[in-house]
Amino acid sequence: MALPLTLVSYTDSAFTNAHDLVSPDPVEDGRGTFSHVGVRMQGLESQRHLNFRVDDRKEEGTFFTRDRKIVNRVEIVVGKVGDATTPNRAIVTGLELDTAFFTRNNVSTIYKITFIDELTSACSVVVSGMKLKGDTSHHVDLDNVPVTRIIITMAEGGLTRFKLFGTAAPEQLPAKESLLVGATVFGNPDASYGLPSMVLRESREGRVMAGWETCRHSFRQRLGFALPQETSRAPTKIEIDTYMHCLNPFKAVTILTCNQPGASVDALEASVPAWKVVVKDAGGVEHTEIVADSNIEAYLGDLDDKDAEFRYTLDVANSSTWKVLLPTKSLTRDTLHEFSLIGYVSF
């Protein structure tokens, strides 16, 4: 039985919707039909010369370099994200790598396929240095390997489908329960292209962008969630999904928490930390200024108009109300970001 899978992240798929890689649907032959990026193929198809660089900044001339550390890395989990009815741990008896309809531009080599079992912390390499042929289905038999997460590193090119075969494991990973169920959304979010409340959805629906999307000129956005009641449960993981937002994901996120039972939303917003801005003047000397959250966008816009060099961050160290749950982390496009929490800050 082919197991349900979810694509979590990938390095590059410039020509296709990468999520087709784990689709259960039959592969369609798109040759002869075209889009603005070329032939309509399915699966994952990276740009050419993914690790090739041209460096023309050196005085001694132009150099062509190849960084062999840059590979197409794909991460997949067992089950469907947000669907508790699908298994999240499986016993695998085989896998399939299909290059259907990729005749000369298929992935030539699978460098490594690693199976991770998050229940037991076991990690095993099940494929290494495998050569692939164009327009061919490649099958690998496996001996009942338990797995929850798969990491594939491969050469550039196209791969139409990746499938796992087996059965649901007798013991599954514990079901995830969001602490934000029933939360009230507050803040000053720009809702130009989506509803902020939609970020609380737990499933990926359809093949289109959904959720919250702001206008382009915004420097920062603040989104708050007021829990319906105080909780003593410790958060163990934060998930932020930029599914299908390929060109416009948020660049970074900082998550703060506070425990102020009975406090009004206005009071919570008023206590949000200010911003610390470090500006370099014409003489190269840096100056630090503390700017209120309500003024930061106009302040940074003025600096940007002056072509000033600056960097900025939340001044959380001087906040008595809000504490850092997740320090500032970068985000990337079309990825389910998972941040494990070692410490615990009370809500």
Side-chain angles (χ1 to χ4, degrees):
M1 179 183 72
L3 297 161
L5 302 172
T6 296
L7 180 66
V8 171
S9 66
Y10 54 94
T11 302
D12 183 74
S13 189
F15 297 96
T16 55
N17 179 353
H19 298 278
D20 283 338
L21 180 67
V22 294
S23 171
D25 299 330
V27 181
E28 297 180 3
D29 184 359
R31 293 174 297 180
T33 61
F34 300 86
S35 71
H36 68 289
V37 292
V39 178
R40 294 184 183 275
M41 302 296 285
Q42 288 193 346
L44 182 144
E45 184 182 2
S46 73
Q47 60 183 296
R48 301 300 177 266
H49 312 300
L50 189 62
N51 57 7
F52 187 79
R53 297 291 181 268
V54 179
D55 189 350
D56 58 1
R57 297 170 298 176
K58 298 185 181 298
E59 293 182 0
E60 57 267 37
T62 298
F63 286 83
F64 301 93
T65 62
R66 185 180 182 187
D67 188 346
R68 295 183 180 274
K69 294 181 181 179
I70 299 177
V71 297
N72 210 354
R73 181 185 186 277
V74 176
E75 189 165 346
I76 296 167
V77 294
V78 175
K80 293 297 182 182
V81 169
D83 185 354
T85 65
T86 60
N88 57 30
R89 184 169 181 259
I91 304 298
V92 177
T93 57
L95 63 82
E96 181 180 278
L97 297 153
D98 194 353
T99 58
F101 307 122
F102 285 108
T103 52
R104 293 175 59 87
N105 55 346
N106 57 282
V107 171
S108 62
T109 307
I110 299 295
Y111 299 129
K112 191 181 295 185
I113 299 180
T114 304
F115 278 15
I116 300 172
D117 183 6
E118 293 160 290
L119 189 67
T120 64
S121 298
C123 179
S124 57
V125 176
V126 297
V127 171
S128 180
M130 181 179 178
K131 299 295 184 180
L132 300 185
K133 297 178 180 179
D135 200 17
T136 301
S137 177
H138 309 76
H139 191 87
V140 178
D141 291 325
L142 298 172
D143 188 15
N144 296 314
V145 184
V147 66
T148 60
R149 187 176 299 264
I150 306 99
I151 297 175
I152 307 172
T153 55
M154 66 183 82
E156 63 189 40
L159 183 64
T160 313
R161 289 288 189 273
F162 174 79
K163 294 181 180 180
L164 291 185
F165 299 96
T167 59
E171 188 175 2
Q172 296 287 299
L173 292 175
K176 294 184 292 186
E177 183 179 355
S178 174
L179 298 180
L180 297 180
V181 172
T184 301
V185 178
F186 68 90
N188 66 340
D190 171 357
S192 296
Y193 305 102
L195 298 175
S197 59
M198 293 180 69
V199 303
L200 297 177
R201 297 178 311 136
E202 295 189 38
S203 63
R204 290 175 164 184
E205 300 172 1
R207 292 163 50 88
V208 296
M209 290 185 296
W212 176 35
E213 182 182 354
T214 70
C215 62
R216 298 299 183 270
H217 66 267
S218 179
F219 279 105
R220 66 90 181 89
Q221 290 292 314
R222 186 174 73 242
L223 188 63
F225 304 98
L227 273 63
Q229 59 185 9
E230 186 178 5
T231 179
S232 59
R233 289 183 296 169
T236 57
K237 180 189 289 187
I238 292 174
E239 294 184 349
I240 300 175
D241 198 358
T242 57
Y243 174 63
M244 295 298 288
H245 287 266
C246 295
L247 300 175
N248 53 351
F250 284 110
K251 292 292 185 182
V253 63
T254 307
I255 298 181
L256 311 176
T257 65
C258 72
N259 188 1
Q260 299 287 317
S264 67
V265 169
D266 289 342
L268 292 175
E269 288 202 80
S271 63
V272 168
W275 291 81
K276 180 167 63 176
V277 185
V278 181
V279 185
K280 183 181 293 186
D281 63 23
V285 179
E286 291 187 340
H287 305 273
T288 300
E289 296 190 37
I290 303 300
V291 184
D293 180 75
S294 57
N295 299 329
I296 187 66
E297 194 157 341
Y299 181 85
L300 295 181
D302 185 53
L303 290 177
D304 205 41
D305 289 341
K306 295 177 181 177
D307 199 26
E309 291 188 42
F310 63 91
R311 62 184 188 272
Y312 58 101
T313 186
L314 277 172
D315 188 28
V316 293
N318 293 314
S319 173
S320 59
T321 302
W322 295 88
K323 304 300 179 185
V324 176
L325 181 64
L326 183 72
T328 302
K329 299 290 184 181
S330 62
L331 302 177
T332 190
R333 54 92 185 96
D334 200 12
T335 296
L336 175 58
H337 304 79
E338 299 172 279
F339 302 105
S340 179
L341 299 177
I342 299 174
Y344 168 56
V345 179
S346 173
F347 284 91

